Amino acid sequence: MARRPLPRILSTGGARLARGRELARTAADGATDVLHPLITVARGLRRLAAAGRRRWAETPTDRRGPLLFVVAALFLVTALAPYGPLLAAVAVTGAAAWHGRDRAPAAPVDPDEPRTRRLASLYEALVPYFSAAEDPAPLYAHGGSWEKAFPAYEFDDSGRLCHLLVRYPAYFTDGEPESRARIEHLLTAKAGRGREYLFTWDEEGNELTVTALAPLPTGVPAQRFVAAPGETVLGFTDPSEVQRTLPLTYGAEQRDVPPVVWRTGPRSTEPHLLALGQPGSGTSTLLRSIALQALQHGDVVIVDGGGTGEYACLVGRDGVLAVECGLAGAVASLEWAATETERRLIAVNRARQAGLAPPDDTRRPLWLLLDRPTSFTHLAAADGRKDPQALLQVPLRHGRAVNVTVVVAEQFDSADVLGEALRQHTRARVVLGPATVEQLKAVLGAPPHTTPLPAVPPGRGYARLGNGAVHRLQVPATPDPYDDSIGAALRKAVEELLPPKTTPADGETVPEPSVTEAEAEAAGAEAVAEAEEAVAKAAKAVGEPS
């Protein structure tokens, strides 16, 4: 059966209806724009009338009469006053326009929306670690609310997370270092890389506090620190880590900076120090800083295995006994240091047996500063000589009792060549420059509470004294004053701390003889005759039979 064509009105009416609706909508929008003031005034009059009715309904019955009298009086005064009705109409129109305006609030712009998204993303990332299928009321669940998990948080001006309190379930294995390390790595990645974070675990309360640490100051120049004899300032750390501050001159102002103080001497539990780092990390800067502080009260012997002349500024200074850059000089200096340590031990022992105080020459501190001593180990092995590290056993084992301190700076690539005595007796440890968590744990004996960065300025690292906590460390700027690539202000600060030059032995003048040349020749001839006579008597005595 053939299909009938649709009527024309049905086939083309849809387009006409659409055009009609569009025209009607356009006309309505135009009329709304034109009549918008009238619409606003009418809406305002309606709201004013509604407000008047509510006011009349809320007015008690006994007060409605006085209210009507007041309103009637106002109408009468307005009607009799010049231009009163006109002013009243203008006032009513203005009030109606004000009350009739569109009060629909604009779409609120939430300034915390990016931060909320960041916290929600962090919450979702922690779900696999803090959730369990057997938990009937999980604190962490996919699609859950992060408000209970993060009760406290702070953001800095740039919108990055700077403080966060994380609650986790009690069944999380927070006592295992591996579990902690996974959470810390995740939080570091999600909160923003390039910063150091301090993680504080509260096992009793099942809470983890994450704090973004501010960078340590890097421009603190070398200066005289307010420290007692036997105290050495290794550098500076966070204010929350130590309970002591030092007044320092930093730029054009003075400020109090928390230091990392290393105590040496007979009562010290960490009498010797080992510093490790990458090339250019600042280990030589640390040794120069220690040398300048040690020269205030003691003597220094420096062995430079790097051979770069980093300690040329100390050659010939008061208190600097030797600065050796060669194998022969290093061996001779360390042999003397071992002998001097033994001499001091004998002198102190004799004084104690006699009930006397130790001699003064055993009280003056002696510092042995070695920079890259493993380079001499290779040279000694090639030449068949004695390893200089073997000469450190006596100062390392017995140096604390006689004020002999050993400080060694080495690089990571040669750390396996360090002697066993050096590893055992250096309880004060410093790691400078970029290092992994495994390297820090191997050197310091414990992992740091902060996240190490892949790139740090020179002199930045970690320090641990004995069994104490691991502190962040920034070594004071102590450059080589002969290095022209360093700023003049920092070089001048080091030059002001250098001791004066010692008068060389060749410059000493021989005193004038008090006798004449003839008298000297006569005395010499007489001494020769006496010596020949004594030799003859001895020979005669030896030749006689007993």
Side-chain angles (χ1 to χ4, degrees), residues 31 53 72 130 135 153 159 163 166 169 327 362-363 371 375 389 445 488 496 511:
R53 286 195 302 269
F130 288 156
D135 194 349
Y153 56 88
H163 178 78
V166 180
L327 176 60
T362 62
R363 295 181 180 180
D371 192 355
S375 59
Q389 292 191 58
E496 293 176 352

Side-chain angles (χ1 to χ4, degrees), residues 300-360:
V300 173
V301 175
I302 300 175
V303 176
D304 183 12
T308 57
E310 293 280 345
Y311 309 95
C313 59
L314 296 172
V315 175
R317 302 284 179 175
D318 287 348
V320 181
L321 303 182
V323 178
E324 301 295 343
C325 299
L327 176 60
V331 171
S333 298
L334 295 181
E335 286 179 348
W336 173 87
T339 305
E340 174 65 12
T341 304
E342 294 174 351
R343 185 198 66 80
R344 291 190 177 197
L345 286 171
I346 295 173
V348 170
N349 187 29
R350 289 176 178 175
R352 288 176 179 174
Q353 290 179 357
L356 302 176
D360 294 338

Side-chain angles (χ1 to χ4, degrees), residues 217 236-237 239 244-250 253-259:
F236 313 103
T237 185
R244 176 180 177 181
T245 58
L246 291 181
L248 300 179
T249 302
Y250 182 38
E253 60 180 3
Q254 281 193 347
R255 63 175 65 178
D256 293 337
V257 180

Side-chain angles (χ1 to χ4, degrees), residues 113-449:
E113 184 178 359
R115 303 177 180 180
T116 303
R117 290 199 304 267
R118 184 182 292 270
L119 292 175
S121 174
L122 185 59
Y123 173 84
E124 291 291 336
L126 291 173
V127 169
Y129 301 93
F130 288 156
S131 62
E134 300 82 6
D135 194 349
L139 180 62
Y140 289 83
H142 291 291
S145 176
W146 55 265
E147 283 80 2
K148 294 182 180 180
F150 306 148
Y153 56 88
E154 293 180 9
F155 289 85
D156 55 13
D157 297 336
S158 61
R160 304 183 71 184
L161 193 65
C162 61
H163 178 78
L164 179 65
L165 178 61
V166 180
R167 290 179 178 174
Y168 55 88
Y171 52 77
F172 175 72
T173 56
D174 53 2
E176 299 179 0
E178 295 79 9
S179 301
R180 289 190 177 192
R182 286 195 298 267
I183 299 300
E184 293 175 0
H185 179 74
L186 175 63
L187 292 175
T188 302
K190 292 296 182 181
R193 298 183 182 273
R195 295 185 298 174
E196 291 182 88
Y197 294 92
L198 174 64
F199 298 96
T200 305
W201 292 84
D202 182 9
E203 293 87 350
E204 296 181 358
N206 297 323
E207 292 181 348
L208 169 61
T209 303
V210 185
T211 306
L213 300 176
L216 295 176
T218 58
V220 178
Q223 53 194 281
R224 294 296 182 197
F225 302 115
V226 182
E231 293 183 345
T232 303
V233 178
L234 300 179
F236 313 103
T237 185
D238 300 301
S240 59
E241 297 297 322
V242 295
Q243 301 179 355
R244 176 180 177 181
T245 58
L246 291 181
L248 300 179
T249 302
Y250 182 38
E253 60 180 3
Q254 281 193 347
R255 63 175 65 178
D256 293 337
V257 180
V260 177
V261 179
W262 173 40
R263 293 174 176 84
T264 57
R267 299 186 180 276
S268 173
T269 57
E270 304 87 24
H272 310 294
L273 182 140
L274 173 62
L276 295 177
Q278 302 290 349
S281 59
T283 54
S284 299
T285 299
L286 175 62
L287 257 64
R288 267 192 303 269
S289 176
I290 294 176
L292 293 178
Q293 298 179 62
L295 287 173
Q296 300 182 51
H297 308 285
D299 299 325
V300 173
V301 175
I302 300 175
V303 176
D304 183 12
T308 57
E310 293 280 345
Y311 309 95
C313 59
L314 296 172
V315 175
R317 302 284 179 175
D318 287 348
V320 181
L321 303 182
V323 178
E324 301 295 343
C325 299
L327 176 60
V331 171
S333 298
L334 295 181
E335 286 179 348
W336 173 87
T339 305
E340 174 65 12
T341 304
E342 294 174 351
R343 185 198 66 80
R344 291 190 177 197
L345 286 171
I346 295 173
V348 170
N349 187 29
R350 289 176 178 175
R352 288 176 179 174
Q353 290 179 357
L356 302 176
D360 294 338
D361 58 351
T362 62
R363 295 181 180 180
R364 184 170 176 82
L366 175 62
W367 293 73
L368 306 179
L369 307 181
L370 293 85
D371 192 355
R372 299 195 64 186
T374 57
S375 59
F376 292 128
T377 301
H378 297 296
L379 293 177
D383 294 347
R385 297 186 179 185
K386 192 174 183 179
D387 185 2
Q389 292 191 58
L391 301 173
L392 293 175
Q393 292 189 9
V394 174
L396 287 171
R397 295 178 184 273
H398 309 288
R400 182 184 66 172
V402 290
N403 293 301
V404 177
T405 304
V406 179
V407 181
V408 177
E410 192 52 76
Q411 297 181 1
F412 274 117
D413 54 0
S414 302
D416 55 345
V417 191
L418 293 174
E420 187 64 25
L422 191 58
R423 295 173 180 270
Q424 291 182 356
H425 296 281
T426 52
R427 291 176 47 82
R429 299 291 182 90
V430 173
V431 177
L432 298 180
T436 62
V437 178
E438 291 74 14
Q439 289 177 327
L440 293 173
K441 187 176 181 180
V443 177
L444 302 178
H449 295 292

Side-chain angles (χ1 to χ4, degrees), residues 45-84:
L45 291 175
R46 185 175 68 253
R47 291 177 179 176
L48 289 175
R53 286 195 302 269
R54 287 195 305 270
R55 178 67 176 175
W56 177 259
E58 294 173 358
T59 303
T61 306
D62 56 343
R63 294 184 181 181
R64 290 182 179 181
L67 181 60
L68 287 175
F69 177 77
V70 172
V71 172
L74 289 176
F75 273 105
L76 180 61
V77 171
T78 303
L80 297 178
Y83 304 102

